[in-house]
Amino acid sequence: GQQLNQSPQSMFIQEGEDVSMNCTSSSIFNTWLWYKQDPGEGPVLLIALYKAGELTSNGRLTAQFGITRKDSFLNISASIPSDVGIYFCAGHNDMRFGAGTRLTVKP
Amino acid sequence: DGGITQSPKYLFRKEGQNVTLSCEQNLNHDAMYWYRQDPGQGLRLIYYSQIVNDFQKGDIAEGYSVSREKKESFPLTVTSAQKNPTAFYLCASTKAGGPNNEQFFGPGTRLTVL
């Protein structure tokens, strides 16, 4: 399967700070998806991106589909404690996932 | 409400026993997937099925088997051949084709082999 490289692996931030994470691939994707997983639960879809260059927001979350179709980033603004969890990117072509970014928010 | 259900939430088995994990969806989705997640790790694809009576191996299919006799159901059997079966198993589904191919996940089953 295609490889997705997600970074950073983990982040420790203070409440109120902004967060940025990204995924890159050596292959082109038609769709990028961003998920959040709480401990012991299934991932929940946050944002779906369908067009190169597309920038989509969902509340404090913003994600972009890279122009080259090989990368995507997710930003979280003004983080709050409930943002804690693991964030995954996924490329639609074959539904492979990045390794995840573990976010810890200190109150 | 439409969704994906996995049961049970927690499952314990003795080493050497086969065990089947249930996954049911009432979303009328065509494609279904099984992933394995180990502590602190990402999701690894075990098997997927795009249509009834057809399925494909993912990256880590060895020691697992699946069936897709009905559109709504995609059970996963963890066989005794799987060397390290203790993990969190996630089932997912998508509606094949079209621009909106979001994948939805079930709540997961945590399998512990003693």
Side-chain angles (χ1 to χ4, degrees):
Chain A
Q2 294 153 331
Q3 287 282 83
L4 287 182
N5 300 306
Q6 186 171 349
S7 65
Q9 281 190 329
S10 60
M11 302 183 74
F12 296 84
I13 62 170
Q14 206 70 38
E15 183 177 359
E17 290 183 354
D18 297 343
V19 171
S20 185
M21 59 192 79
N22 70 84
C23 271
T24 60
S25 171
S26 57
S27 303
I28 289 173
F29 283 110
N30 297 322
T31 302
W32 281 96
L33 306 171
W34 284 93
Y35 291 84
K36 182 192 178 202
Q37 185 181 30
D38 291 323
E41 303 294 330
V44 174
L45 182 66
L46 298 173
I47 292 179
L49 301 161
Y50 301 107
K51 291 183 190 176
E54 179 182 352
L55 184 72
T56 297
S57 293
N58 178 7
R60 294 178 295 106
L61 277 61
T62 302
Q64 183 156 31
F65 193 147
I67 287 290
T68 64
R69 294 165 64 194
K70 294 183 179 181
D71 63 321
S72 177
F73 71 75
L74 174 71
N75 287 345
I76 305 173
S77 63
S79 59
I80 59 178
S82 62
D83 290 334
V84 165
I86 305 176
Y87 292 80
F88 291 101
C89 62
H92 172 258
N93 296 14
D94 56 2
M95 291 316 302
R96 259 63 174 186
F97 282 74
T101 295
R102 184 178 295 272
L103 179 63
T104 302
V105 179
K106 292 180 277 189
Chain B
D1 282 358
I4 304 174
T5 57
Q6 291 184 246
S7 61
K9 181 72 172 173
Y10 299 96
L11 190 55
F12 296 87
R13 279 294 182 269
K14 290 184 179 178
E15 193 173 347
Q17 288 182 334
N18 289 358
V19 60
T20 297
L21 280 59
S22 163
C23 178
E24 304 278 332
Q25 53 96 3
N26 60 3
L27 300 165
N28 197 32
H29 282 176
D30 302 293
M32 297 184 74
Y33 306 78
W34 275 105
Y35 293 88
R36 170 185 172 134
Q37 187 176 31
D38 293 287
Q41 303 294 317
L43 282 67
R44 291 187 289 169
L45 184 63
I46 305 173
Y47 268 100
Y48 64 100
S49 168
Q50 304 274 30
I51 194 170
V52 173
N53 292 322
D54 187 48
F55 47 82
Q56 309 295 330
K57 291 182 179 180
D59 298 324
I60 56 165
E62 186 175 347
Y64 300 98
S65 66
V66 293
S67 63
R68 187 88 186 276
E69 297 176 2
K70 298 186 298 181
K71 188 175 185 178
E72 304 80 22
S73 179
F74 190 41
L76 173 75
T77 297
V78 185
T79 75
S80 56
Q82 169 50 236
K83 299 296 181 204
N84 186 18
T86 295
F88 189 48
Y89 290 88
L90 287 159
C91 179
S93 69
T94 61
K95 188 155 186 66
N100 298 326
N101 291 305
E102 294 107 352
Q103 192 177 50
F104 295 92
F105 283 84
T109 292
R110 185 168 297 281
L111 173 64
T112 302
V113 176
L114 306 170

